[in-house]
Amino acid sequence: MASASENAELIPQARTWLAEDPDPDTRAELEALLAAVEAGDTAAADDLAARFAGTLQFGTAGLRGELGAGPMRMNRSVVIRAAAGLAAYLKARGQGDGLVVVGHDARHKSVDFARDTASVMVGAGLRAAVLPGPLPTPVLAFAIRHLGAVAGVAVTASHNPPRDNGYKVYLGDGSQIVPPADAGIAEEIAAVGPLAGVPLADEGWETLGEEVVEAYLDRASSVVDRHTPRDVSVVYTPLHGVGRDVLTAAFVRAGFPAPHVVAEQGEPDPDFPTVAFPNPEEPGAMDLAFAAARALGPDIVIANDPDADRCAVAVPDRAAAGGWRMLRGDEVGALLATHLVHRRAIGTFAASIVSSSLLSRIAARAGLPYAETLTGFKWISRVEGLRFGYEEALGYCVDPAGVRDKDGVTAALAVAELTAELKAKGRTLADLLDDIALEYGLHATDQLSVRVADLSVIDDAMSRLRERPPSSLAGLSVVTAEDLAKGSAELPPTDGLRYRLAGSPDAGVESARVIVRPSGTEPKLKCYLEVVLSVPGADRLAAVRAQAAEVLAAVKADLATAAGLPGDEAAARP
């Protein structure tokens, strides 16, 4: 609870902020909050204290946070400062006359934030071009290189809750920023003085036409082979995001039938009214898509997250509740890798450390280089000679020469192509997953994902695991306990822990692995689990999968106990 003395300090800060806030909405919000504080409302005082407890920190993920007034919220004042800092960073590196491309999704305030960014860039002497309306983030990543820009900004909070928005920065190579660029931009943001000193142009930026979308669609449709089968039926949901029009156009341009769009979730809607969280991985998010699939009987279900840089896939499964099963990101990653190998792809395959080790085996068997990176496509996209990269959180890069980031549209096209090829042979994605398990062993993955209201829960869990690492999980001995914060010759430092577990040959367990890390974009503690089991034959696949599920459940329970997570939190699903 904020004290009277704290209020006395905060109120002048808030009034200073209020005086330069360019947004009438957040001005009214802050004025009402200040009036409540001055009337003695303790809840309002706590809210004010939270909003002025510091500033949103700019990092490799840019900015992301709850919309609202104050320096700890996403608002026009914060965005103008961020844009001014980015402009100063570019000018200091001799790119002061370069082009900055700005894209945005359909969230609350996204249009305003994009316009403010363009205004700041032009005011600083750079050139700016804004994409023609709310579009998938991959279109922005494509446009940066297509137009020869020095940087790009995507205004999006991806799959965060409706109350959030974000600000993601790319440099001229089309990849998201990594250190030390993030720190350099953050320093320039911190150096921005009063907003009145930031030049804002009223005009002078370009609003791009549909030709940039057409160029993206031409590139996206080239990802699939024009000679492969096209008979595939798809139910698709954009989850109230911006993916529908671009994905549908990409399917048609590539020669596939247009997918059936889940009508209730087809239109962009910043309130995401049919889902608790607009993330295909969250419970309930796919319910409407599955209902449509039960009615229509498609070959597969595909979903994008709201900014369409991620791609979820579901397949018919009689054993699953409702008859449909969401594939894990690791399963889709293995399917796409196998598909590319069969197409004789050349180049490096890469995955993040939290993804399955299966990709390394697929690459090795094909004689292709393999690289492992820290979490995030900002790292994966920078792998030298990259041909395919993925991470388990439904992110796939199947065309790094076109989009050097995860792309939920081209990933969907590649999945559709693979499904059609298999269908022409009387087979399914599930059949191919069986083949992969027989060839490489069953690589079963799961996740313990804990969403918290109090970030100290995450700090306490990480401290506890660092101070008292488990000696065994699910009866498997912990062979190595690695603190990733120390860095290594292969990986830069990151806040995470990695445990490698011994196998149990008598039980058919080859190995297991656990990685624990705080989410970089949400208030979550995320634990990534993998167990590898040998598969004696096709007739044993069901039993081996059941055994893997038991081992993963035991690892999850033991890990939750070791981390000191309460029972209700430990049971949380991604």
Side-chain angles (χ1 to χ4, degrees), residues 458-459 462 495-496 516-522 524-526 528:
I458 295 175
D459 294 336
M462 294 297 291
D495 187 9
V516 184
R517 60 179 285 271
S519 170
T521 56
E522 297 180 272
K524 284 183 176 182
L525 180 67
K526 306 186 83 169
Y528 308 83

Side-chain angles (χ1 to χ4, degrees), residues 290-378:
F290 290 161
R294 286 191 290 273
L296 297 171
D299 298 311
I300 54 173
V301 172
I302 288 176
N304 286 138
D305 66 340
D307 70 326
D309 63 351
R310 299 170 194 255
C311 177
V313 181
V315 298
D317 186 340
R318 293 178 183 176
W324 283 83
R325 180 175 79 86
M326 272 277 290
L327 297 183
R328 292 192 172 277
D330 287 316
E331 292 177 301
V332 177
L335 289 168
L336 289 173
T338 301
H339 181 46
L340 289 170
V341 167
H342 288 165
R343 287 183 55 184
R344 304 186 185 280
I346 300 297
T348 301
F349 283 14
S352 61
I353 58 173
V354 300
S355 304
S356 173
S357 61
L358 175 56
L359 186 64
S360 65
R361 294 193 179 189
I362 294 173
R365 186 71 57 86
L368 296 174
Y370 171 77
E372 186 177 65
T373 75
L374 292 183
T375 306
F377 266 82
K378 57 183 174 283

Side-chain angles (χ1 to χ4, degrees), residues 9 32 89 100 106 153 226 233 236 250 289 301 346 360 404 412 420 451 464 550:
E9 294 178 2
Y89 176 86
V100 177
V153 172
R226 59 191 180 92
S233 57
Y236 168 72
V301 172
I346 300 297
S360 65
R404 199 166 288 177
R451 185 181 294 273
R464 179 175 175 136
E550 292 177 1

Side-chain angles (χ1 to χ4, degrees), residues 547-559:
Q547 180 189 359
E550 292 177 1
V551 175
L552 288 169
V555 171
K556 186 184 296 186
D558 287 354
L559 182 63

Side-chain angles (χ1 to χ4, degrees), residues 79-389:
V79 165
I80 289 171
R81 290 179 183 279
L86 174 59
Y89 176 86
L90 295 171
K91 292 174 72 173
R93 280 149 186 80
Q95 298 176 314
D97 59 349
L99 173 68
V100 177
V101 185
V102 186
H104 64 86
D105 62 13
R107 284 178 177 266
H108 293 295
K109 297 291 181 181
S110 286
V111 172
D112 295 337
F113 295 167
R115 185 186 61 245
D116 284 337
T117 299
S119 174
V120 170
M121 294 302 160
V122 173
L126 288 102
R127 293 176 292 125
V130 181
L131 293 183
L135 286 165
T137 296
V139 177
L140 181 277
F142 166 82
I144 294 167
R145 297 165 72 195
H146 178 68
L147 298 174
V150 297
V153 172
V155 178
T156 179
S158 189
H159 55 274
N160 276 39
R163 64 180 180 270
D164 291 355
N165 212 325
Y167 198 83
K168 184 158 49 173
V169 174
Y170 298 74
L171 293 182
D173 63 353
S175 297
Q176 297 176 50
I177 57 171
V178 295
D182 60 330
I185 297 170
E187 288 176 7
E188 296 288 0
I189 294 172
V192 175
L195 285 190
V198 177
L200 297 175
D202 294 325
E203 57 184 12
W205 59 87
E206 178 185 4
T207 299
L208 296 168
E210 290 298 320
E211 61 273 6
V212 70
V213 181
E214 291 297 310
Y216 170 81
L217 289 170
D218 285 343
R219 179 73 201 194
S221 62
S222 72
V223 167
V224 295
D225 187 333
R226 59 191 180 92
H227 299 297
T228 53
R230 292 295 191 267
D231 179 17
V232 61
S233 57
V234 177
V235 162
Y236 168 72
T237 175
L239 289 180
H240 302 292
V242 297
R244 180 193 60 190
D245 293 350
V246 171
L247 181 135
T248 300
F251 265 62
V252 173
R253 186 161 304 193
F256 293 107
H260 173 88
V261 179
V262 177
E264 301 91 331
Q265 298 173 331
E267 291 291 333
D269 189 328
D271 294 319
F272 307 106
T274 67
V275 295
F277 294 97
N279 180 350
E281 295 178 291
E282 293 281 356
M286 297 291 290
D287 287 355
L288 288 173
F290 290 161
R294 286 191 290 273
L296 297 171
D299 298 311
I300 54 173
V301 172
I302 288 176
N304 286 138
D305 66 340
D307 70 326
D309 63 351
R310 299 170 194 255
C311 177
V313 181
V315 298
D317 186 340
R318 293 178 183 176
W324 283 83
R325 180 175 79 86
M326 272 277 290
L327 297 183
R328 292 192 172 277
D330 287 316
E331 292 177 301
V332 177
L335 289 168
L336 289 173
T338 301
H339 181 46
L340 289 170
V341 167
H342 288 165
R343 287 183 55 184
R344 304 186 185 280
I346 300 297
T348 301
F349 283 14
S352 61
I353 58 173
V354 300
S355 304
S356 173
S357 61
L358 175 56
L359 186 64
S360 65
R361 294 193 179 189
I362 294 173
R365 186 71 57 86
L368 296 174
Y370 171 77
E372 186 177 65
T373 75
L374 292 183
T375 306
F377 266 82
K378 57 183 174 283
W379 299 108
I380 294 172
S381 66
R382 284 180 162 75
V383 168
E384 185 175 354
L386 181 68
R387 178 59 184 87
F388 169 67

Side-chain angles (χ1 to χ4, degrees), residues 138 216 220 308-311 395-398 403 405-412:
Y216 170 81
D309 63 351
R310 299 170 194 255
C311 177
Y396 315 96
C397 178
V398 298
V403 175
D405 197 6
K406 56 185 178 289
D407 183 344
V409 176
T410 52

Side-chain angles (χ1 to χ4, degrees), residues 13-96:
Q13 292 180 42
R15 293 211 173 277
T16 299
W17 182 275
L18 181 63
E20 65 174 15
D21 188 344
D23 190 334
D25 293 336
T26 47
R27 281 203 310 270
E29 176 187 310
L30 188 53
E31 285 171 345
L33 186 61
L34 282 167
V37 172
E38 291 169 338
D41 186 329
T42 55
D46 289 342
D47 188 5
L48 185 68
R51 292 167 183 256
F52 285 83
T55 58
L56 278 183
Q57 294 302 301
F58 186 93
T60 54
L63 296 169
R64 193 175 295 191
E66 185 176 347
L67 289 162
M72 286 293 289
R73 298 288 185 267
M74 282 295 298
N75 51 65
R76 290 183 60 195
S77 296
V78 165
V79 165
I80 289 171
R81 290 179 183 279
L86 174 59
Y89 176 86
L90 295 171
K91 292 174 72 173
R93 280 149 186 80
Q95 298 176 314

